[in-house]
Each structure stands twice: as structure tokens, then as C-alpha cells.
Amino acid sequence: MVDSTKYKDVITKYVRPLLNVKFYWYNRPEGDPEASGHYFVIEVPALAEVDRWAMVSRGITENGQFIRNSWTIPIRNGDTTAYLSADEVYRLVNDGLRSRRGPTVEPAPAADRAKAREDVRAAVGMRETPVLFFQSVPDHPHGLVSGMYANGGLRDILSNQDTLREVYAFNWASERNRPEPREGGLLLDDNPRRGLLIESDGAVTGAAAANADMLGWAMEPTMSGIEASRISVFVLTEITLEYFRLIDQHILPLVPGTWTHRIVASDFARSLARTLAAGDDPTFPYRGAPQPATSDSWNHSWQASGDPERDAYEALRHIYPLFGLDVSTNPFVDADRVLAQRLQA
């Protein structure tokens, strides 16, 4: 009952660039009495970065009717579809025209929002604590992000996060605190472990304390007055991956266009410098060869890929040299990705 040629013809006619779409048939799963027939699968290859995005030369109404003389640029986001805004399309067209008229001009990098880092640090009481900051900023902010406080919006997403492990693990969820409105955005205060600020334009700042409650968890003897200086490889990797699982999947799609991720280690080299060791956390916390941080203002950025495991790797690749280490020594990394299944194992 399925004519694959019809699908192929529609894609060939309306989608640019041309896509080499593949079709597959699968038998129904054995042992599933409720399944019947077969499965017809259309596999659409990922576009090369230079060709993003695909354009569909026909719009469609909610009733499934074509709109003549229209086009749209759909962006897949999990099991839903968003659409590139008219403002972003206009900017891309003008960028293309400018590139034809003269030499290529690199777009200005996203602003380094140092004030947001200090705001979060003060809000969660970490002024005297070394802090690892994660930041994500749209390169071309479009003003207020809609649905910040709506049902199913960002406030609900922060309150009901899909984490790798329970809420008391090393992630950005909080069972005791809810995100509170702050200047058109949201602040999730979970002192003394972490804090997360989403600004009104979608920019995000996360702060993880480099102390015994968070990054240094279980790395020092449990004695009163002892400050944790050694960073747990496991905690560092999990909190990093959880940040990008939250931001790449739920925040980036709200503001179309390129984003810049940034990682900042503040006060890591001050008295009682924070340390990190190659490999996994030792079975006995006093063993190993931890390396001290070499800067109090480590600040590096990269263009977001939108892939949490890939962006988590980039964050770790930028933080490990602070300790004179290579990211390949992290046991939860494979090639250019952080593997969630290794953390969970």
C-alpha cells in the first residue's frame, strides 16, 4: 500500500538541497501480539554543516493544505519541529549578500557575560568559593524568550528535569527549591552546591561550587574544618554532561541561530588550589597524582554543536589543560564525546 516513489518525488520537488533519502522495510517485532503489518522507514541523512538548513518550498496549514508561493525552514527538535524565524532568515540572506560584495567578515563572538556570572555567584552565596561556570549565549539574541512562565515552559522544564540519575546526584535539578522569576528570566538557587540563571533572552549561566558539596564530593577526609581541594573526575563529568543535556535540548531551540558555549574556572589557583588527576577517581581518596590548577581566571569558549555529549566533551577538553592534563585521560570520554552510558555504569 506504500509507494516509495511518491515520497521520493515529493522530497525531490520541495526540499532544497536535494537529499539522498533511503527507504527501508522492517518486519513487525516477533512476540508482539498487538503489532501487525510491517514498518516503512524513511531515513533522512544529516546535512553537512555548510549546507544547513534545508528549505521546504511549500508551506502547509494546520489542516494539511499546501500554501502556494510560500516556503519555510524547519528545524527538528527531538520529536517536534520548530521553524526558523523571519528575523533570522532575513539576517542570513543579508549575510549572504554582504559576503558576495566584499571579503568575508567573521561574525562577532557572543558577549562574555561576566556580570551574569557575578550575579549568580552572589545570589547563591559563592563569593568566597572557587566556582566552575558554564555559559551559553545566543550569538544573535532576539529579545524576550516566549513561554518562560507558561505551562510546559522553561519554569516547568527546570522543575521537572530529565536527569541521568536521581535529583540528589550531580545535575542541575533541585527537590527543595523551585526556579524563581528574576528580571524576565529564571533563577534556580541550590546553595551551597550550584545555581542556574536563565536570562530573559535565553542566555544561561550555571555555577557549580568547587567544594566538598559538589565538585570535590568524597575527595577529602570527612573532618570538620577540612576544605575539599581535589575535584572528582566523576562529578566533573556528570555535572558537565547534565548541563548540556538541559541546555542543548531545551534552551538552544528557543532562539534560532548559532550559540556560543563558554566555560570559566574562577579562583581555582588561589590558596589551597583545586586539583584534578588523570584517569578515574581513586578507590582510596588519598592516592593518585592530582595536578594543581594554574590560573584563577580560566575562560574559554566554542561554538555550540547542539549535541550534549559532543558539547560536554568540548567543555572538558577546555578545562583539563587548566591542570596540565589532556582530556583523553578522562575515562568517560571516547573520541570526541562524553558517553552517558559509561557514567551510568
Side-chain angles (χ1 to χ4, degrees), residues 202-325:
V204 183
T205 300
N211 58 17
D213 292 300
M214 181 53 76
L215 295 182
W217 183 266
M219 289 291 100
E220 299 289 348
T222 308
M223 296 172 56
S224 177
I226 297 295
E227 183 180 359
S229 61
R230 182 166 180 166
I231 291 174
S232 164
V233 174
F234 180 86
V235 176
L236 173 64
T237 307
E238 183 175 16
I239 194 70
T240 298
L241 179 57
E242 289 284 32
Y243 174 85
F244 292 106
R245 289 182 73 247
L246 175 63
I247 305 310
D248 282 359
Q249 294 175 1
H250 298 290
I251 310 296
L252 265 62
L254 299 178
V255 184
T258 57
W259 282 64
T260 295
H261 288 319
R262 184 181 302 275
I263 192 162
V264 179
S266 178
D267 296 330
F268 269 46
R270 73 178 195 185
S271 180
L272 192 58
R274 269 41 186 176
T275 63
L276 182 68
D280 204 346
D281 293 333
T283 304
F284 189 66
Y286 311 114
R287 296 177 183 168
Q291 303 298 309
T294 56
S295 172
D296 267 337
S297 55
W298 191 258
N299 187 328
H300 292 273
S301 64
W302 68 97
Q303 188 174 75
S305 73
D307 179 337
E309 293 190 346
R310 180 75 179 84
D311 280 326
Y313 168 84
E314 283 297 319
L316 294 176
R317 187 176 72 85
H318 284 86
I319 195 66
Y320 262 65
L322 171 62
F323 303 92
L325 298 171

Side-chain angles (χ1 to χ4, degrees), residues 75-154:
I75 302 172
R76 200 64 178 167
N77 177 28
D79 59 353
T80 61
T81 301
Y83 295 90
L84 202 65
S85 69
D87 289 340
E88 184 68 8
V89 172
Y90 176 80
R91 185 189 67 79
L92 290 172
V93 170
N94 277 276
D95 285 351
L97 291 174
R98 279 192 290 270
S99 69
R100 293 180 184 179
R101 294 168 183 156
T104 300
V105 178
E106 291 295 326
D112 181 0
R113 300 199 180 187
K115 182 179 182 301
R117 295 197 293 272
E118 292 309 309
D119 287 347
V120 175
R121 196 171 199 168
V124 297
M126 294 182 187
R127 288 193 184 278
E128 303 303 320
T129 305
V131 177
L132 182 62
F133 290 103
F134 300 87
Q135 284 192 297
S136 303
V137 179
D139 293 341
H140 303 280
H142 297 156
L144 293 173
V145 170
S146 61
M148 185 79 69
Y149 311 116
N151 290 336
L154 282 181

Side-chain angles (χ1 to χ4, degrees), residues 32-36:
D32 186 351
E34 297 183 359
S36 62

Side-chain angles (χ1 to χ4, degrees), residues 50-88:
V50 70
D51 290 327
R52 293 185 187 269
W53 289 276
M55 182 180 74
V56 179
S57 61
R58 278 289 184 91
I60 193 169
T61 68
E62 294 182 356
N63 298 324
Q65 301 298 314
F66 278 127
I67 304 173
R68 291 183 177 277
N69 301 319
S70 65
W71 52 267
T72 185
I73 298 178
I75 302 172
R76 200 64 178 167
N77 177 28
D79 59 353
T80 61
T81 301
Y83 295 90
L84 202 65
S85 69
D87 289 340
E88 184 68 8

